[in-house]
Amino acid sequence: MSARREDRGTVSGGFGATLKGLATVFRQVFRADVTEEYPRRIQPPPPRSHIGRHRLNRHEDGLEKCIGCELCAFACPADAIWVVGADNDPEHPVSPGERYAKDYQINYLRCIMCGMCVEACPTRALTLTSAYEMSFLTREDAILTKDQLLEPPAPLGTAPGTEEG
Amino acid sequence: MSVEPEPVTLTIDGKEVTVPTGTLVIRAAEQLGIEIPRFCDHPFLDPVGACRQCYVEIEGQRKLFTACTTEVAAGMVVHTQNTSELAHEGQVANLEFLLINHPLDCPICDRGGECPLQDQTMAFGPGESRYIEPKRVYRKPIPLSPLVLLDRERCVLCARCTRFCDQISGDRFIEMFARGAGQQVAIAAGEDFRSPFSGNTIQICPVGALTASTYRFVARPFDVHVADGICGHCSAGCNVRVDVRRGEVVRVLARDNAEVNDAWICDKGRFAFRAADGPGRVTTPLIRERGLEPASFDEVLGRVAEWSRGARVAFLTGGRLADEDAFALSKLARVAFGTNDLDHRRAFHGGLAEELEAASALRVTYRDVERAGAILVVGLDAEQEVPILHLRIRKAARRGARVFVVHSRETRLSDVAEHLLCRPGQEGAVLERLIEGGAAGSDEERVARALRTAEGAVVLAGSLLAEHPLATDVALRLSRRLGAGFALVPRRAGDRGALRAGVHPALLPGGRRLAVASERAEVEAVWGELRSSEPGRNGREILEACARREIDVLFLVGVDPLRDVPDAALARRALENVPVKVVQSLELGELEPYADAFLPAAALHEREGHLTTWEGRSQRTRPVRAPAGLSRPDWEIFAGLAEAVGAPLGFGSVEELREEMEALLAPREVSERPTAWVGAGVPQWLDEVTLFTYPLLVDEGRLSEGASELKAALEEPAFVEVHPEDAERLHLADGGWARVRTGAGEATLPVRVSSRVAQGSVFVPFNQPGLEANRLLSGRFTAAATLEAVPGGGEGARGGEGIAGPEAKT
């Protein structure tokens, strides 16, 4: 209470403070906007950012890195990942070794983008991309299947709700 | 053996514990709640000290000791890794050593997530390995059988699997081979791991070296819902864990229960789990209009009630029902329909032995078998019929019990038991001779003496004994004479529970005789007055009455007479002549053209309930998922039906049902009456040979549907087994073909010449691919038969019923 009484101070001191405040206002008025004009103007994120949709990677020879071990599903705190392993056909392997993922799905209505799955992946098969646009028109659309996850994410600006989408 | 060992007191990690002499240090530590890491140690296997993981320091000793092989001594002071730096270092070093050649391919390994090596490395291990050289590499995995896959890279050479085969199942298919770093589990070249217990080696493997082909890459421990169930494949009552991923059963594991199955289950219990998820499963009520059409439960139950109003009704069931269902069925038939025409059996014992089994429980237990000084097995092929009982008999034999088998065919107990082979139907006569003590110098005399002098003898009688009407009672009398325990060992999981519940034409719940007023009154006190006090028809008589059109409505509950009844022709006649057939089951199968109404039942792992073992032990089984579709537990369907006919059973929940059940099924004393054995009843063998049959473990049974790996591993196509002397007389050659003819039909089958089968009798399995043997039978599991050689299986191999031509085999 006593501090507040002091703050009021003299008339001149009070007016000085007001001027100081106004100066801040005017300084900000002529600064550039920080707000992104999304989705009218879509800014690409920094090149090495890993903030968006997952991607399942391949080895250079085209084999899938994913071996269907389910460690990502185990690590997932939101139970968003579904994996079913299966035996590789030695003649036509999908991935190196005995096991591959017959089915792989991520439900983006559940995913909280924590990246624990990526940390758990023993083969670096699962990584995050910079595709941060996660809007879907149906619940089914929000579950990405293995063939979708193996493909690079759609370019920015094509998700539903953006201008192109 | 019965003398209790002296107690010994020792100190582990500063805590005192008193245990019996002979206890291993690792077990004593367990009692204190101290966990010592281990791989090779298994409570049901002999100690071996192969993995060296359980090092402890013992005061006064210069070296570390393995806790799993060291017996306690008075005053011993033990330090585990918790209090001894030396023991801790030893364990860490050993784990690092075990991991040298371990591939660490945990992400692709089926054991990942539930692996003792993984867990104990995390808990007790070094965390890092200093080994950077290339690891030992093998081809992986190699199939030991269509069920078991071996990955030698992952093996830590604990020898649990080989010890299991040696000590428990007694079929030494796999063995440790070579030495040092090259040591590996191996099987003889060209040999398959054809043990009906092979799956246990997978479960006890502490790493992922042995994996199941049925579970390969299927799920992880965190994917599955699990529930504690009871196996429904036979009367052994094995405690199992059922794993379900997304509503589908993916795995069955054994649970430890030293009173019942120790830690083991047979391969049928482990690998035949797909029947309820198969394409044949029907989960909606159906009613016959133009064809069989889906309908609501109310609609179907209403129609069935309408059909059975004032009609002559009969109930047939098999061995699938849980105790609660059997009890509800017993009450439904008697209270709601006023009939005693109900039965679950396919072999008709009758007599005092059956009443005793119905009246009381646990007169002979697994434990009694295990501790018996002598065991007499009569008319029972335990390995094929009740496999876990077979393991217990072997365990008893290892503890020194003398085992004798009276049977028409040598069983897999042959390495531990003495067989008295006899023609089928003659078991009673052999038992009679044992009672009399046997002729001087005969086998019987020797066996009788061994049984008489043994400490704690047990007589186990199988269902083949029912071929003679009084043979079970003779077996009972023999057991009384010897002062031995006696048990009738039924084959199917629901048999004993159905008998206890009174799904029987002459016995009410608890083995109370319908015809005896005082015993009937005990049931009437709970159920109200029963409309009929006349014993009803047994299973066979029901079918005969159906064929004669003396029954209007036949309920078939979890049974397919066309396959299950040992008289296929009669079953067909019955189904063709009875006006209304109501089927209640998991599937329709061959009954589809006959059924007028279908009521979908829930599978065992979809419902709450109990199953009774051959001992009479009632064990609770819990659901792992909700009933599929509209299916319901059988007892609920019975309750609904009773409601529809206007005579409610009076229980709305399984708890209420059990309350009533427990009141009526409390153990009762049964006064023993002398049995009249007609000594002249020894059959005169006029026919050429006697054909006999019983089901083998892995066959075409409905509950094994979908178990393709199991069948690939263990199922044999139909055959006829002939004694060498008979084969010579009938000019049959091993591997050749024979036409088997009985009064009911004929079949052409490949011949096996073997002295395993008694002379004068031929064995045909009941339901193997190529032959449904009930087409050769007329009401019993034995039949007079003639055999003739079919050269090369040539022309005439077809025709008649149930023919398996040689063409079908190729």
Side-chain angles (χ1 to χ4, degrees):
Chain A
M1 286 299 261
S2 59
R4 285 197 64 180
R5 207 170 288 132
E6 263 172 46
D7 275 352
R8 280 188 212 131
T10 60
V11 173
S12 64
F15 187 64
T18 308
L19 279 181
K20 213 170 152 192
L22 278 174
T24 306
V25 169
F26 282 106
R27 203 163 52 244
Q28 294 300 333
V29 163
F30 299 107
R31 270 196 179 168
D33 286 347
V34 178
T35 321
E36 297 285 347
E37 289 290 303
Y38 187 87
R40 267 185 285 140
R41 222 178 32 236
I42 295 176
Q43 188 79 14
R48 285 175 62 85
S49 63
H50 296 283
I51 51 161
R53 203 208 83 177
H54 301 77
R55 177 157 185 205
L56 285 171
N57 302 303
R58 290 179 186 273
H59 289 285
E60 278 169 16
D61 59 2
L63 290 180
E64 288 169 14
K65 285 187 176 176
C66 177
I67 52 169
C69 73
E70 297 192 38
L71 277 175
C72 48
F74 187 34
C76 182
D79 199 7
I81 308 183
W82 167 259
V83 190
V84 180
D87 227 327
N88 255 323
D89 173 4
E91 301 299 314
H92 306 283
V94 178
S95 66
E98 297 170 73
R99 181 172 179 149
Y100 79 101
K102 187 168 70 176
D103 195 0
Y104 195 106
Q105 301 174 9
I106 298 180
N107 183 346
Y108 284 97
L109 295 174
R110 287 187 169 188
C111 177
I112 55 170
M113 306 309 300
C114 67
M116 303 265 270
C117 46
V118 175
E119 252 180 79
C121 183
T123 60
R124 284 229 152 248
L126 190 68
T127 47
L128 293 177
T129 64
S130 57
Y132 56 77
E133 290 178 331
M134 306 274 188
S135 62
F136 307 97
L137 292 178
T138 66
R139 287 173 172 273
E140 287 73 29
D141 286 351
I143 299 171
L144 294 196
T145 55
K146 191 180 156 194
D147 31 320
Q148 291 171 295
L149 290 166
L150 278 166
E151 294 301 318
L156 291 173
T158 56
T162 58
E163 248 156 54
E164 278 181 56
Chain B
M1 237 170 256
S2 53
V3 184
E4 279 299 310
E6 288 285 306
V8 171
T9 302
L10 72 159
T11 312
I12 304 176
D13 285 353
K15 291 182 211 163
E16 273 200 0
V17 62
T18 305
V19 291
T21 310
T23 307
L24 299 168
V25 172
I26 201 165
R27 296 279 106 75
E30 275 169 8
Q31 285 195 16
L32 286 170
I34 298 169
E35 193 190 350
I36 302 172
R38 84 288 301 266
F39 298 108
C40 68
D41 171 72
H42 191 283
F44 293 102
L45 297 175
D46 291 349
V48 63
C51 72
R52 321 304 293 172
Q53 188 53 49
C54 57
Y55 281 135
V56 291
E57 189 182 352
I58 295 173
E59 272 182 24
Q61 302 289 344
R62 288 185 300 148
K63 288 183 175 180
L64 294 176
F65 274 63
T66 47
C68 76
T69 55
T70 309
E71 287 185 7
V72 294
M76 192 184 245
V77 180
V78 179
H79 295 285
T80 71
Q81 72 279 359
N82 298 329
T83 52
S84 158
E85 192 50 39
L86 201 60
H88 175 69
E89 274 174 24
Q91 290 180 6
V92 169
N94 190 63
L95 254 174
E96 193 180 359
F97 174 71
L98 288 179
L99 289 172
I100 278 182
N101 274 317
H102 190 80
L104 293 176
D105 58 350
C106 307
I108 61 164
C109 177
D110 273 332
R111 266 292 196 185
E114 51 183 2
C115 174
L117 181 61
Q118 228 177 18
D119 295 346
Q120 296 187 109
T121 303
M122 299 304 280
F124 307 100
E128 244 169 72
S129 174
R130 289 168 292 172
Y131 185 80
I132 51 166
E133 290 78 8
K135 295 196 178 206
R136 183 190 59 192
V137 177
Y138 287 122
R139 185 166 75 84
K140 60 196 279 177
I142 52 173
L144 295 180
S145 79
L147 289 168
V148 186
L149 306 172
L150 169 66
D151 185 321
R152 291 164 294 172
E153 291 178 359
R154 295 178 189 148
C155 179
V156 294
L157 302 171
C158 70
R160 275 189 184 181
C161 54
T162 53
R163 281 183 294 148
F164 173 84
C165 289
D166 185 17
Q167 295 163 16
I168 308 294
S169 67
D171 38 24
R172 300 176 58 176
F173 283 104
I174 52 173
E175 197 50 271
M176 281 296 174
F177 180 75
R179 282 281 175 275
Q183 192 175 17
Q184 52 183 277
V185 174
I187 190 162
E191 190 68 71
D192 241 8
F193 193 3
R194 270 176 297 100
S195 164
F197 303 101
S198 66
N200 292 302
T201 61
I202 298 170
Q203 189 171 345
I204 59 175
C205 180
V207 295
L210 294 170
T211 52
S213 61
T214 53
Y215 189 67
R216 187 162 163 85
F217 307 153
V218 165
R220 292 275 179 216
F222 55 85
D223 291 325
V224 292
H225 290 282
V226 304
D228 290 350
I230 302 297
C231 179
H233 282 293
C234 80
S235 65
C238 294
N239 293 204
V240 294
R241 191 187 102 174
V242 183
D243 288 14
V244 163
R245 187 180 191 192
R246 273 233 172 150
E248 205 173 305
V249 181
V250 292
R251 180 168 69 166
V252 175
L253 294 172
R255 279 187 288 135
D256 288 8
N257 185 344
E259 298 297 323
V260 182
N261 55 319
D262 280 351
W264 323 122
I265 56 176
C266 71
D267 283 2
K268 188 181 189 179
R270 189 180 299 271
F271 297 116
F273 53 72
R274 298 199 187 109
D277 296 327
R281 176 91 190 262
V282 183
T283 56
T284 1
L286 304 172
I287 190 112
R288 192 168 292 279
E289 302 282 354
R290 270 184 227 95
L292 271 177
E293 283 160 27
S296 72
F297 253 107
D298 284 350
E299 204 179 330
V300 176
L301 289 175
R303 290 287 293 280
V304 171
E306 214 173 280
W307 290 332
S308 25
R309 192 155 297 135
R312 293 163 297 180
V313 176
F315 296 84
L316 274 186
T317 183
R320 279 197 202 172
L321 292 189
D323 296 353
E324 288 80 358
D325 306 331
F327 186 80
L329 174 59
S330 180
K331 188 171 181 184
L332 174 79
R334 290 182 166 115
V335 174
F337 290 98
T339 179
N340 290 313
D341 293 344
L342 77 164
D343 207 346
H344 71 280
R345 301 165 299 168
R346 51 182 181 186
F348 307 105
H349 295 270
L352 179 63
E354 194 176 68
E355 272 170 44
L356 273 175
E357 298 292 304
S360 55
L362 297 173
R363 293 180 323 128
V364 172
T365 63
Y366 278 110
R367 190 136 290 207
D368 296 334
V369 172
E370 185 177 324
R371 299 208 170 141
I375 302 169
L376 178 65
V377 184
V378 197
L380 174 74
D381 185 342
E383 189 203 33
Q384 298 295 321
E385 298 185 58
V386 190
I388 293 305
L389 178 60
H390 169 81
L391 292 189
R392 271 314 163 81
I393 297 171
R394 297 194 71 88
K395 190 173 182 183
R398 254 170 74 80
R399 295 173 62 127
R402 311 234 7 222
V403 185
F404 304 97
V405 181
V406 177
H407 198 23
S408 305
R409 188 172 181 243
E410 199 177 275
T411 69
R412 275 280 298 118
L413 286 169
S414 54
D415 55 333
V416 296
E418 194 174 317
H419 282 69
L420 298 177
L421 292 186
C422 65
R423 285 179 79 154
Q426 266 191 326
E427 294 90 349
V430 175
L431 296 177
E432 187 75 1
R433 287 203 291 279
L434 288 177
I435 293 177
E436 285 156 7
S442 66
D443 281 348
E444 276 103 352
E445 191 208 6
R446 211 162 32 75
V447 173
R449 188 162 357 95
L451 287 171
R452 227 176 16 247
T453 51
E455 203 176 306
V458 169
V459 177
L460 300 170
S463 49
L464 211 58
L465 213 52
E467 286 302 299
H468 191 287
L470 285 169
T472 43
D473 281 2
V474 177
L476 176 64
R477 206 167 87 231
L478 171 65
S479 73
R480 292 291 177 269
R481 183 68 59 87
L482 298 169
F486 174 82
L488 263 185
V489 182
R491 203 180 93 85
R492 301 173 299 180
D495 276 336
R496 190 72 197 272
L499 181 61
R500 296 263 294 142
V503 183
H504 189 289
L507 296 177
L508 294 167
R512 293 173 178 87
R513 283 166 292 173
L514 188 65
V516 178
S518 61
E519 295 181 12
R520 191 173 66 244
E522 290 173 22
V523 176
E524 285 179 332
V526 182
W527 282 2
E529 200 176 332
L530 299 177
R531 273 185 264 169
S532 165
S533 59
E534 285 289 304
R537 300 177 172 100
N538 69 25
R540 180 165 177 81
E541 289 161 355
I542 288 173
L543 289 176
E544 282 166 352
C546 287
R548 289 195 305 269
R549 295 181 175 259
E550 285 167 16
I551 281 171
D552 305 313
V553 182
L554 176 64
F555 286 88
L556 298 166
V557 184
V559 69
D560 175 358
L562 294 171
R563 282 205 191 185
D564 295 348
V565 170
D567 189 342
L570 172 65
R572 198 162 294 276
R573 262 201 331 278
L575 290 175
E576 279 162 3
N577 284 301
V578 68
V580 178
K581 281 94 30 189
V582 181
V583 177
Q584 175 174 330
S585 189
L586 299 181
E587 75 282 303
L588 268 163
E590 290 162 40
L591 293 175
E592 188 170 353
Y594 299 102
D596 296 292
F598 176 82
L599 296 160
L604 191 58
H605 56 272
E606 296 172 345
R607 38 95 32 102
E608 188 74 37
H610 287 67
L611 281 177
T612 302
T613 67
W614 62 268
E615 316 153 277
R617 184 193 307 272
S618 183
Q619 299 185 104
R620 184 168 178 193
T621 176
R622 290 177 167 78
V624 67
R625 68 174 189 210
L630 296 178
S631 63
R632 293 179 187 174
D634 289 277
W635 74 264
E636 275 187 46
I637 303 178
F638 295 140
L641 184 58
E643 202 109 352
V645 297
L649 295 183
F651 24 74
S653 70
V654 76
E655 287 76 23
E656 284 171 27
L657 194 166
R658 281 211 67 83
E659 210 170 292
E660 189 171 315
M661 232 175 118
E662 272 152 26
L664 281 174
L665 294 189
R668 324 169 20 245
E669 280 302 311
V670 171
S671 59
E672 298 207 4
R673 304 175 296 280
T675 315
W677 167 255
V678 192
V682 178
Q684 297 298 308
W685 299 104
L686 297 174
D687 41 281
E688 213 169 56
V689 286
T690 310
L691 174 141
F692 71 106
T693 177
Y694 55 86
L696 299 184
L697 181 66
V698 180
D699 65 4
E700 292 294 280
R702 277 275 149 75
L703 291 179
S704 309
E705 241 155 60
S708 49
E709 298 92 342
L710 175 73
K711 290 182 177 180
L714 292 171
E715 193 177 47
E716 304 169 281
F719 58 88
V720 56
E721 203 169 62
V722 187
H723 189 271
E725 284 184 29
D726 294 327
E728 204 183 316
R729 188 164 51 83
L730 299 165
H731 312 292
L732 298 171
D734 192 44
W737 290 79
R739 183 175 299 125
V740 182
R741 214 179 258 127
T742 66
E746 61 170 51
T748 305
L749 295 167
V751 176
R752 282 190 196 173
V753 176
S754 163
S755 49
R756 282 185 66 194
V757 70
Q759 201 184 338
S761 48
V762 296
F763 173 73
V764 168
F766 188 67
N767 192 13
Q768 298 306 117
L771 176 72
E772 284 169 28
N774 65 349
R775 294 169 193 275
L776 299 176
L777 303 174
S778 26
R780 304 166 60 133
F781 287 87
T782 55
T786 55
L787 269 72
E788 67 179 291
V790 182
E795 52 181 343
R798 289 168 192 280
E801 281 181 306
I803 296 310
E807 299 87 349
K809 290 291 174 298
T810 48

